[in-house]
Amino acid sequence: MVALTSAAGVVSLLDESEEELKVYALKKLDGIVDTFWAEIADAVSKIEILYEDDQFKHRELAALVASKVYYHLGEFDESLTFALGAGKLFDTASKTEYVETIVAKCIDKYIELRVQKREDPSATVVIDPRLEDVVQRMFQRCYNDAEYKQAIGIALESMRLDIVEEAILKGDSKDLLGYVLEASMTIVQNLQFRNEVLRLLVKLYQNLEQPDYISISQCLVHVNDSAACAAMLQKLVSRSDDIAFDLEENATQEFLQKVVAGLPAASESRPSAGDAMDTDEKKPLTAEEKSAEVFAKVRTILSGELSIKLYLEFLSRNNHTDLLILKNTKTALESRSSVYHSAVTFANAFMSAGTTSDEFLRQNLEWLSRATNWTKFSATAALGVIHKGQISQGMALLAPYLPQDGVSGSAYSEGGALFALGLIHANHGGSVLPYLTNALKNNQSEVVQHGACLGLGVAGMATDNDEIYETLKNVLFSDSAVAGEAAGLAMGLVMLGTASSKAIDEMLQYAHETQHEKIIRGLALGISMIMYGREEEADVLIEQLCSDKDPILRYGGIYAVAMAYSGTGNNKAIRRLLHVAVSDVNDDVRRAAVTALGFLLFRTPKQVPRIVQLLSESYNPHVRYGATLALGISCAGTGLAEALELLEPMTKDPVDYVRQGALIALSMILVQHNESANPKVGSTRKLYEKIIGDKHEDAMAKFGATFGQGIIDAGGRNVTLSLQSRSGYVNMSAIVGMAVFTQFWYWYPLAHFLSLAFTPTAFIGINKNLEMPKFEFISNAKPSLFAYPPNTKPPTAEVVEKVATAVLSTTAKAKARAKKSEKDKGVDAMDVDDKKEPETPKEEKKEDNKENEDKEKTEKEKRKKKAEPNFEILENPVRVLLAQSKHIAFKEDSRYVPIKKGSVGGIMLMMDQKPGEKEEIIPLTTPAAVAGGGAGEEEEPGPPEPFEYPEND
């Protein structure tokens, strides 16, 4: 058969009057359209006429041919319209490129219409039934091919909750539920629909043969259902400890307090959890007493006391702070400069965060005494970062500096101490909130009020406490610039994430009335905090703030975007930020817009270098600075090579504050990396030393380098910077801490908020009695890969070698003549010298031998390094990095194994596989050791008044 070379003959049949010929032509055209579409396109109007003719029985065939022609012409919307007209002839099961493309267009159109209908119920959005039919057939195709995840993906985007449920029930429910939970937190942009999905997941998880209560608790936290959480804990007496730890890590103070309130009331006659073991030995417990004991433990866990105590113990035991780095930096920087003094103070606070070690301060009391005014405020507040989490000893540690009735001390020390008290109790402020509130009411000094407000904000974060809010509002209305700024920020922190319209209206009104820029800035940031995590609910406020004529309020609007959409990667929010970054007339607003990208995209750090690449080359230095922080925030702790490549040239930027931002961002990205894991670590550390030691370097760059040194070795090298929890959910206090930290641009003391983003990279195994047993496990990776960086070596006393003196030939001849004449005279002394001369070659030989021995030693050491084992034995509690957790394994005969399967890290409940044997418990020692001030304190001279630590009673 001769192949067709033209479609003209077939097209001409469309003009025939007989219907059979037209049908024949259409069938023939359907087969050859992929080859001769260009010719057929000239006659497409004839095909359309046939489709529009109600009397023509094969209209669907005409629609299919027309659809294919328009597809080849690139007119996809027209092609989609005719494909829908083709009805069943449009075969969605076909694997051709045409069908795949049109189906994709069909699904996109369907999703667009469904979202439009959902977001604006008042709008009359009509979805073509034929479009729904095609999508429904696609769902059926997914079911037939067992591609349930594809069906769920389309269903989530098109907001079809019924399809989500149907797909989960048809497939492997356990696997698909985990997929939907993750997808709902990343793909679903609509907050209301996401909550509906999470409530559906709660129902489906409960219907499993073995319900996943950890996942249920996470869903309930996100939908803010504390009552259901409390009911679940009551129902699951045996598993409640495990769930409580997960709740404590992910929920707000307010939520946890409501859960505790929903638990059965503690019986006064019951022994405490600590006495439980003694009771077990003496008398068996009834079922009621056992459950009461369990709930006592749950209360301890939910209050955060236990996890804080365990992390404090871990950070104190494993402290690897390299004080020599600080000492060298302090020596290199001019201590009379308050900027440098503050920089070293912050670096020390970061390096020792949570370790309870104030050794550097004790060793440098004279240097510390030079702190004046706000530098003294920052230095005192630094104690809060160092002793963060030492809740039981907080008041005693800070007693010498806290305001005392009838005693007038330094306002800066008192204010700093109140801020420090808040930092110690960060996000767990129940016990100190009344004290801080009274201190704020009873003090008229604006510096002390400033510290008290910041302390209240950080300790009372997300408590939604009206009493504290009103107290802060009264301070705000006093119109003091210094106290008002802190009050505005603290109001936002206390009402964090509540979206309280009353608070927003009051704060916004006062921001428009006051003349103080500092107060407006505090309020702008506070307002953004109130909208934390509210997503599209915040859109009206964001629009209002971003269109305000006051640049400081526009700045607040940008942070409202960052807080409301943090970790969502919302496309609409990213578009807004990128638009503001290149269009706003105010540099501060543009800088904030680029920085905010880091908050939105920290869950997908690999995207960020690509997005900010052009911004990092902007002519505007503020935009470049914003790009550095965006990279630092989003890629924190990842060691991402692409981010480091962008930052490296920025460390040589002609503008000092851009260099500062790049140096800080480098430390954020490289925190907890060593040279084995990332070769850039060594060069970065040397760069910090070089900049700090260079007398001609700008102060701002030196400040950034000193900050960098503190962050890269934060928490005794045992913490990382992370804006999400180990289970992958947003870490509220870390995001808020990082956002307030970026305000150090205006106000240095706010840099201490970075400590809220420090997450201990610990493995802490505990038994059923919530005690730390001694046990070992294996890390199946080379020890050097996850080892602590080596400490800086102190400079050795170098022996100056004598350089051989150049001897002129005339001098040699003169000396020879002189020797000869002396010999002739017979001088005895010279004979002695001559006898000694032959000994020198022996000394040279000894030196040669020593050199050979040294060479042999170094070769042996090299051989040892080459023979590094592929695993190491670790002992509880120990540092386990996030990248290391996948290499952790337990021996088959291990006594203790984790109850929770999956990722290893954080505080883990262990199952005792040999319950009859005696346990070796590790005692908690940190609080007693710190309060005592160390073993050798008696030998030291007494410190000056501001830095005297009371002995523990």
Side-chain angles (χ1 to χ4, degrees):
M1 185 179 171
V2 180
L4 275 175
T5 56
S6 171
V10 181
V11 169
S12 65
L13 292 174
L14 295 172
D15 295 325
E16 296 292 332
S17 57
E18 290 191 31
E19 192 170 301
E20 287 83 354
L21 289 173
K22 291 177 183 177
V23 173
Y24 171 79
L26 287 171
K27 284 180 180 176
K28 196 73 178 170
L29 289 173
D30 185 39
I32 63 172
V33 69
D34 292 340
T35 311
F36 297 106
W37 59 269
E39 274 188 85
I40 301 168
D42 293 333
V44 74
S45 57
K46 295 176 184 177
I47 300 170
E48 284 185 45
I49 289 167
L50 289 175
Y51 167 66
E52 288 164 6
D53 183 2
D54 293 335
Q55 304 302 316
F56 186 60
K57 292 177 183 176
H58 294 81
R59 291 176 64 229
E60 290 182 348
L61 181 59
L64 184 63
V65 175
S67 174
K68 287 182 179 180
V69 172
Y70 279 117
Y71 163 73
H72 286 293
L73 288 169
E75 298 286 344
F76 296 126
D77 289 337
E78 290 287 328
S79 179
L80 173 60
T81 304
F82 283 107
L84 293 175
K88 299 291 181 189
L89 290 181
F90 179 66
D91 182 12
T92 55
S94 173
K95 303 281 185 182
T96 63
E97 190 181 330
Y98 157 71
V99 171
E100 297 287 346
T101 307
I102 298 305
V103 164
K105 288 283 169 191
C106 209
I107 291 167
D108 287 345
K109 185 72 177 173
Y110 181 69
I111 289 169
E112 184 189 329
L113 292 171
R114 287 280 307 175
V115 170
Q116 201 177 332
K117 191 174 182 180
R118 177 82 186 211
E119 289 181 350
D120 189 7
S122 59
T124 52
V125 179
V126 179
I127 299 174
D128 192 327
R130 298 172 303 173
L131 187 66
E132 286 208 27
D133 179 57
V134 172
V135 174
Q136 201 62 43
R137 279 190 280 156
M138 274 310 298
F139 284 134
Q140 194 57 52
R141 177 179 156 186
C142 288
Y143 297 154
N144 297 341
D145 298 345
E147 294 286 355
Y148 299 110
K149 288 184 179 178
Q150 284 189 14
I152 287 168
I154 297 167
L156 285 173
E157 287 201 68
S158 59
M159 300 187 183
R160 287 286 300 273
L161 208 57
D162 55 329
I163 300 292
V164 173
E165 185 173 4
E166 189 182 344
I168 291 171
L169 294 173
K170 281 180 183 287
D172 176 5
S173 294
K174 194 171 182 182
D175 177 45
L176 291 173
L177 281 168
Y179 173 76
V180 174
L181 180 56
E182 187 184 348
S184 64
M185 302 311 297
T186 50
I187 295 171
V188 180
Q189 304 281 352
N190 187 291
L191 186 62
Q192 190 183 351
F193 178 67
R194 186 190 305 145
N195 287 345
E196 288 175 20
V197 173
L198 292 172
R199 289 196 180 279
L200 170 68
L201 290 179
V202 169
K203 184 182 85 174
L204 295 174
Y205 269 124
Q206 287 171 337
N207 293 341
L208 291 175
E209 285 182 26
Q210 293 182 324
D212 183 351
Y213 291 107
I214 296 284
S215 297
I216 292 172
S217 71
Q218 288 169 352
C219 293
L220 292 173
V221 167
H222 284 291
V223 297
N224 201 24
D225 191 346
S226 55
C229 242
M232 183 176 68
L233 286 172
Q234 288 185 54
K235 182 182 167 188
L236 297 167
V237 177
S238 58
R239 288 281 314 276
S240 54
D241 289 1
D242 206 11
I243 297 163
F245 273 117
D246 205 72
L247 283 172
E248 193 275 326
E249 187 181 10
N250 294 309
T252 64
Q253 279 191 79
E254 183 198 11
F255 185 91
L256 293 173
Q257 285 165 5
K258 286 179 180 175
V259 172
V260 170
L263 294 174
S267 171
E268 290 178 18
S269 59
R270 279 291 314 135
S272 66
D275 301 332
M277 286 178 70
D278 300 334
T279 314
D280 286 346
E281 290 169 15
K282 290 171 188 174
K283 189 182 175 184
L285 297 172
T286 64
E288 195 178 314
E289 286 176 330
K290 277 183 181 176
S291 65
E293 185 180 293
V294 169
F295 290 130
K297 286 181 190 172
V298 169
R299 280 191 187 83
T300 308
I301 296 167
L302 292 178
S303 69
E305 287 174 25
L306 183 67
S307 53
I308 287 170
K309 202 182 290 181
L310 291 171
Y311 280 131
L312 195 66
E313 181 72 19
F314 161 74
L315 291 171
S316 179
R317 276 175 180 269
N318 297 282
N319 184 8
H320 280 71
T321 305
D322 189 352
L323 291 178
L324 194 59
I325 294 175
L326 273 176
K327 185 183 173 187
N328 293 341
T329 301
K330 179 184 78 71
T331 307
L333 296 177
E334 175 58 61
S335 62
R336 281 175 294 184
S337 164
S338 64
V339 173
Y340 294 149
H341 199 291
S342 291
V344 177
T345 300
F346 291 126
N348 173 50
F350 296 153
M351 277 191 189
S352 304
T355 63
T356 71
S357 169
D358 49 15
E359 191 181 339
F360 178 76
L361 299 178
R362 291 175 180 279
Q363 288 175 0
N364 298 281
L365 293 172
E366 190 272 328
W367 168 84
L368 201 52
S369 65
R370 294 181 202 163
T372 56
N373 301 336
W374 288 107
T375 314
K376 185 182 278 190
F377 179 94
S378 297
T380 316
L383 291 172
V385 178
I386 293 168
H387 295 285
K388 184 173 180 281
Q390 203 160 358
I391 289 174
S392 58
Q393 303 284 332
M395 291 290 284
L397 283 166
L398 296 169
Y401 324 110
L402 289 167
Q404 293 169 3
D405 293 333
V407 180
S408 58
S410 164
Y412 295 97
S413 282
E414 290 177 358
L418 291 169
F419 183 20
L421 192 62
L423 288 166
I424 287 173
H425 293 78
N427 210 14
H428 294 89
S431 58
V432 293
L433 290 176
Y435 174 82
L436 287 167
T437 308
N438 286 334
L440 180 60
K441 286 177 180 173
N442 301 332
N443 232 300
Q444 298 307 310
S445 164
E446 62 178 8
V447 177
V448 178
Q449 286 183 338
H450 183 88
C453 287
L454 291 177
L456 271 172
V458 74
M461 195 186 294
T463 51
D464 191 13
N465 187 316
D466 277 329
E467 186 190 343
I468 296 174
Y469 172 80
E470 290 299 326
T471 307
L472 291 165
K473 190 169 77 174
N474 291 336
V475 174
L476 176 73
F477 289 167
S478 68
D479 210 41
S480 158
V482 173
E485 180 184 30
L489 173 58
M491 286 160 77
L493 290 172
V494 170
M495 306 302 281
L496 182 68
T498 59
S500 164
S501 55
K502 170 179 171 280
I504 289 168
D505 291 344
E506 288 177 349
M507 291 166 77
L508 200 53
Q509 185 183 348
Y510 195 74
H512 282 122
E513 287 173 5
T514 186
Q515 299 298 309
H516 294 292
E517 278 192 10
K518 284 172 79 70
I519 294 178
I520 300 170
R521 185 168 291 110
L523 286 167
L525 199 62
I527 291 167
S528 71
M529 296 295 168
I530 293 174
M531 279 299 179
Y532 170 82
R534 307 305 290 204
E535 297 182 32
E536 62 269 12
E537 283 181 43
D539 283 350
V540 176
L541 177 68
I542 289 167
E543 193 62 52
Q544 184 184 350
L545 289 171
C546 288
S547 56
D548 200 286
K549 66 177 187 294
D550 187 339
I552 301 175
L553 288 175
R554 293 205 301 277
Y555 178 91
I558 296 302
Y559 269 92
V561 174
M563 293 297 98
Y565 290 99
S566 56
T568 62
N570 185 286
N571 290 330
K572 188 174 72 173
I574 291 169
R575 277 199 300 273
R576 180 191 285 277
L577 292 175
L578 289 171
H579 173 69
V580 172
V582 294
S583 65
D584 201 278
V585 294
N586 184 272
D587 285 334
D588 287 358
V589 179
R590 293 178 70 175
R591 186 181 69 247
V594 187
T595 304
L597 288 169
F599 289 99
L600 264 69
L601 294 164
F602 65 77
R603 275 193 169 139
T604 51
K606 289 183 180 176
Q607 287 185 19
V608 182
R610 185 170 50 83
I611 290 172
V612 302
Q613 185 174 5
L614 288 173
L615 295 169
S616 69
E617 296 164 8
S618 167
Y619 74 92
N620 188 322
H622 288 267
V623 172
R624 298 202 298 275
Y625 178 90
T628 64
L629 284 191
L631 287 166
I633 291 164
S634 58
C635 306
T638 61
L640 195 67
E642 293 91 332
L644 296 172
E645 279 172 27
L646 276 182
L647 288 169
E648 213 166 326
M650 296 174 87
T651 58
K652 303 179 186 76
D653 197 276
V655 180
D656 53 0
Y657 54 80
V658 178
R659 295 201 297 280
Q660 181 194 80
L663 293 166
I664 292 172
L666 278 174
S667 66
M668 289 179 172
I669 295 169
L670 291 172
V671 64
Q672 281 205 321
H673 283 71
N674 59 22
E675 286 197 67
S676 300
N678 196 316
K680 295 276 185 191
V681 173
S683 58
T684 303
R685 288 180 183 275
K686 282 175 186 168
L687 178 65
Y688 290 151
E689 286 175 27
K690 177 177 168 288
I691 288 172
I692 289 165
D694 185 354
K695 290 181 180 177
H696 305 292
E697 185 59 82
D698 289 306
M700 291 188 84
K702 286 187 178 185
F703 187 89
T706 310
F707 252 49
Q709 283 186 331
I711 295 167
I712 203 167
D713 286 334
R717 294 177 170 170
N718 289 307
V719 302
T720 187
L721 275 171
S722 179
L723 301 191
Q724 52 187 333
S725 65
R726 282 184 175 274
S727 46
Y729 296 104
V730 292
N731 183 340
M732 181 195 71
S733 61
I735 291 167
V736 170
M738 184 67 83
V740 182
F741 163 74
T742 59
Q743 309 308 308
F744 80 86
W745 174 278
Y746 304 103
W747 194 236
Y748 284 156
L750 297 179
H752 285 310
F753 272 84
L754 185 65
S755 61
L756 301 184
F758 291 156
T759 308
T761 47
F763 175 94
I764 303 170
I766 57 171
N767 62 14
K768 63 178 182 180
N769 297 320
L770 309 183
E771 295 169 321
M772 271 197 298
K774 204 170 187 178
F775 63 87
E776 292 178 341
F777 53 98
I778 302 166
S779 169
N780 289 312
K782 289 185 177 180
S784 63
L785 196 59
F786 301 111
Y788 288 100
N791 278 354
T792 313
K793 289 177 182 173
T796 51
E798 292 181 7
V799 179
V800 181
E801 293 180 9
K802 288 184 179 179
V803 182
T805 314
V807 182
L808 297 171
S809 57
T810 51
T811 312
K813 286 175 184 176
K815 279 185 178 178
R817 281 197 299 272
K819 271 189 181 181
K820 196 177 180 185
S821 62
E822 281 172 1
K823 273 185 183 179
D824 295 340
K825 287 175 188 175
V827 179
D828 295 335
M830 291 310 293
D831 293 340
V832 178
D833 288 344
D834 289 342
K835 284 174 189 173
K836 282 186 180 176
E837 273 181 11
E839 287 177 26
T840 50
K842 286 181 184 177
E843 287 173 6
E844 284 172 13
K845 279 181 184 177
K846 282 180 185 177
E847 285 173 11
D848 289 343
N849 290 340
K850 276 185 183 178
E851 283 177 15
N852 291 334
E853 283 174 18
D854 290 342
K855 279 181 184 176
E856 283 175 20
K857 275 184 185 177
T858 51
E859 280 174 15
K860 280 180 184 175
E861 283 172 6
K862 280 180 183 175
R863 280 180 211 143
K864 278 182 186 175
K865 281 181 184 175
K866 282 178 186 174
E868 186 186 3
N870 289 323
F871 70 94
E872 64 177 322
I873 305 293
L874 302 175
E875 196 172 295
N876 181 47
V878 69
R879 181 180 88 151
V880 173
L881 305 185
L882 207 58
Q884 188 180 5
S885 60
K886 60 188 174 197
H887 301 291
I888 299 298
F890 289 81
K891 291 179 185 174
E892 287 181 13
D893 60 342
S894 290
R895 178 174 179 178
Y896 297 96
V897 290
I899 293 173
K900 186 180 174 184
K901 305 300 176 191
S903 64
V904 173
I907 298 169
M908 301 205 75
L909 278 165
M910 310 299 286
M911 185 190 293
D912 188 353
Q913 302 199 101
K914 300 171 185 175
E917 294 181 18
K918 189 179 179 183
E919 289 184 293
E920 191 178 346
I921 302 299
I922 300 167
L924 299 180
T925 55
T926 307
V930 171
E937 193 182 10
E938 288 176 17
E939 296 170 18
E940 289 183 9
E945 182 60 26
F947 290 88
E948 179 183 314
Y949 284 76
E951 293 292 323
N952 193 27
D953 294 332

